[in-house]
Amino acid sequence: MGLLRRIRETGRAAEPAPPRPEGDVPEKARELGGSVQVRCVDAGSCNGCEIEIAAAFNPVYDAERYGARQVASPRHADVALVTGPVTRNMAEPLRRTVAAMGEPRLVVAVGDCAINCGEFAGGHGVEGAVADVVPVDLTVPGCPPEPDAIVAALRRVTGR
Amino acid sequence: MSAIPAALATATTLGGAGALAGLGLPYRLRVPVVGLLTAGAGVAGAAAGVAALGGSRWATDLPGLLPLVGTHLAVDALAGVFMAVAGAVVVAVAVYGVGYAAGHGPHGLGSRTAQAMLPLFALTLVLVPAAASVSTFLVLWELMALVSLLLVLAEHRERASVRQAGVWYAVMTHLGLVLLLAAFALFAARAGGETFAALRAGAHTVSPTVRGLVFVLAGLAFTSKAGAVPLHAWLPRAHPEAPSPVSALMSTAMVNLGVYGLIRTGLDLLGGGPAWWWLGLIAVGGVSAVYGILQAAMASDLKRLLAYSTSENMGLVFIGVGACGLFTSYGDRPLAALALAAALLHVVNHAAFKALLFCAAGSVVRSTGLRDLDRLGGLRSRMPATAGLFALAALGAVALPPGNGFISEWLLLQSLIHGLQVPGVAVAVVLPLSVALIALSAGIAAAAFVKALGVGFFARPRSPRADGAREAPPLMIAGMGLLAAACVALALVPGLLGDALDRAVSAIGLPGSGALSGGGVRVRLTDISASLSPLWVVAALAVAIMAAVGLPRLYGRRRRRMNARLWDCGGGAPTPRMAYTATSFAEPLQRVFDDVLAPEQDLNVTPVRESAYLVERVRFERRVPDRIEHRLYEPVLRALAGTGRSARRLAGGSVHLYLGYGFVGLVVLLVALAVGW
Ligand code: SF4
């Protein structure tokens, strides 16, 4: 009983939904109807971005309430969330992952590294930015980007 | 004028001619001519069986044929079932065997000895049920054992393991013969005659103890021939090592004769007996069914798997025969008739699908040289006909509709479930237990055959030899086609056998069960008001499958399709080594039955010299030994070897000692005679 009362008294713990982010919903994302399955690919990041992505899906930022959901296989996914500069070893797997996704598919490059190799530009194992390997639809700048920014990018895809 | 004598005479002539042709003809002519004559003998044998099933009987004495006792032959409907099954299997296997032996060169099955023995084996399989006296029966029985032994040994040049299997088979089959001799000698001496008619007439004058002893001895011998535990050890050795056409014959027609012998002796000659006989038989059947199929599910050798599955099916048949005897001893004759009809129908069904399975396995072995499921795979696209036929037969073996095994197991379960109305504590305990055992064995059978088909024929080839597999030659496929047609017919219209089975059941004095009445399309059990229409089951299943497969296609055509490569987690393409093997498929089941199977495993880790933390080589080994064999046979074998070693000391090499033995023996004999008589 005590627990139930506690729940009632506490109410919502998540942050109130911020206003809709600027920018239009990308053309391809319209077909998805506001429900987006997300597959993360770490193409060589320092894991800073991964921590923020994890935070974006936690109960506070709660990306799921906007219709974005993480899945385990690209076969189920509409969006690839790619982090880090693309290393040589990950270039081919990244291409295959994107190719394995059904149409329509979107690629979101998360973090400065993913956009322009950031900190690791010119490194010997670095193949290039994500856009050099697969076509990118959205970017989320920052090193690492804040969870808010990631959620905002996902909201642009879900349109909610 | 009955057709039976003419048909049997034709079979004998053709079989004999086949044996001579096998001995005399050069290699090129030998195989086709022997195949033709064997098939002819099979046709004649099947015709005799069908005639007997049609209601004609025949008996004759040929006094001059065997010294002292003469030969007695008689054919009734019960013998007819086994004759017809043996004949039919022989026809299909003979056609298949021509294709099998043709490419193999003049060794193996194509050799002079093997080709001479094959028609003889076929002939004895047809003739054993016709024997109507102890001596005739035993002579034919022993001839069948010897001829099949020679056939098991046919490929001894190719594999050393064949010889060991031959030794096992020779010893165990003769152990069975000794038991049989003892049983029949005792029985004939007490009943006052050695023809079956005399035994039948004199059975009620024999004391219960002797009758029990006869049943136990003969039961051990016959269940051993049928591959039931505990005397089954020869079967998983000899059946895989024999050339595949021979395996097919042994695993169907020959094991069937074990069932025949038991029905003939227990229910007919001894005229039934007390409940404990049949409870014992049901126990043997139940244990064989579950243990056999469990070992089959563990086996990764394709033919060994099939051999163990024979153990299982014979176990099911023995449950049926045991239930029949049990119901008879409690006086419920209609139910007894139903149980026996179910058992006989399962004999027929098992013969059809097991012969086909062994033939299909044979074409795999012939094409790849492999029996190890772990190294096969990918055969569906390389040998499509063989794979399809194997799948058809496997459907029969798993006892699910629409396979043919389903109907006989359904009948068997019906008879057991309705047997609960029979009073008695033992019945109330044993029947539900055997129902559970049958259900368990059917479930494990499904796993075993999914493994055999899925791992052996689907996926990608796991070895170069499997990769290079070629489809079997047309004659082999034709032989398998005959068996497949039989499987399909048995699955769709088992009711056609209704009258024949009724006659077979009434041949031992039970009322016809009417189990499979209804003009073939319907199976209706008159006494317990249950019915089943296999044809409708199949039709409904076919419609459901077509809907499940067809609708998405129709619907999917409107959408754009694209081909994508297999999702491999972004890494390299999966290699065949990543696929499920037979061993890995069976592993979960093996864990469940850990206590029963007691697998042994060895893990050997070799570190590199510089550091104990870096591993150079890991060697993992796992065996699932036959535990009954382990526990039961090895102590006996050890004791025998020990006795032999100590007995060697008796023969010291001194002539005086040997003369002394002779003298002592003579004196003991004289004293015994003087005192005893
Ligand atoms: S953007 Fe920053 S946090 Fe993200 S992977 Fe690159 S260095 Fe790490």
Side-chain angles (χ1 to χ4, degrees), chain A residues 36-108:
Chain A
V36 170
Q37 317 299 311
V38 179
R39 161 82 194 185
C40 299
V41 180
D42 176 344
S45 101
C46 78
N47 275 190
C49 287
E50 268 65 43
I51 291 173
E52 304 304 324
I53 289 177
F57 284 88
N58 76 9
V60 176
Y61 296 96
D62 200 8
E64 289 209 7
R65 67 180 148 158
Y66 307 113
R69 183 169 151 266
Q70 279 187 308
V71 291
S73 165
R75 286 275 192 246
H76 310 154
D78 309 306
V79 166
L81 222 52
V82 188
T83 59
V86 182
T87 57
R88 287 189 195 166
N89 282 342
M90 279 302 289
E92 189 53 37
L94 177 61
R95 269 186 219 110
R96 287 193 191 161
T97 307
V98 173
M101 292 163 55
E103 301 268 10
R105 55 179 172 232
L106 290 94
V107 176
V108 180

Side-chain angles (χ1 to χ4, degrees), chain B residues 1 68 109 111 128 147 248 360 387 421 453 485 542:
Chain B
M1 161 78 200
L68 299 180
L109 193 63
S111 70
V128 166
V147 169
Q421 69 204 29
L453 186 66

Side-chain angles (χ1 to χ4, degrees), chain B residues 101-249:
Chain B
H104 256 210
H107 297 307
L109 193 63
S111 70
R112 215 170 272 278
T113 329
Q115 287 293 311
M117 290 304 137
L118 195 61
L120 276 188
F121 185 39
L123 184 62
T124 49
L125 289 175
V126 169
L127 286 186
V128 166
S133 73
V134 169
S135 44
T136 315
F137 183 81
L138 287 178
V139 166
L140 285 170
W141 185 262
E142 177 58 9
L143 195 62
M144 172 180 82
L146 287 180
V147 169
S148 60
L149 174 61
L150 286 176
L151 283 169
V152 166
L153 289 172
E155 290 179 352
H156 71 100
R157 276 169 205 264
E158 283 147 56
R159 297 183 303 275
S161 50
V162 172
R163 289 167 219 170
Q164 212 212 350
V167 171
W168 271 92
Y169 179 40
V171 170
M172 302 252 341
T173 192
H174 284 100
L175 197 65
L177 182 72
V178 168
L179 291 173
L180 213 52
L181 260 176
F184 276 134
L186 191 63
F187 191 13
R190 296 300 168 98
E194 66 110 34
T195 61
F196 282 0
L199 292 180
R200 218 171 274 138
H204 59 270
T205 59
V206 179
S207 77
T209 334
V210 174
R211 283 160 51 102
L213 192 61
V214 169
F215 181 76
V216 170
L217 290 176
L220 273 175
F222 286 131
T223 51
S224 160
K225 188 52 113 189
V229 292
L231 296 181
H232 68 293
W234 64 275
L235 187 138
R237 287 191 164 74
H239 288 208
E241 295 300 350
S244 293
V246 179
S247 319
L249 284 179

Side-chain angles (χ1 to χ4, degrees), chain B residues 471-485:
Chain B
E471 185 55 273
L475 265 181
M476 285 168 75
I477 294 180
M480 290 192 276
L482 290 176
L483 292 167

Side-chain angles (χ1 to χ4, degrees), chain A residues 45-46 48-49 84 111-113 119-120 142-144:
Chain A
S45 101
C46 78
C49 287
D112 286 349
C113 288
E119 207 65 26
F120 302 107
C143 177

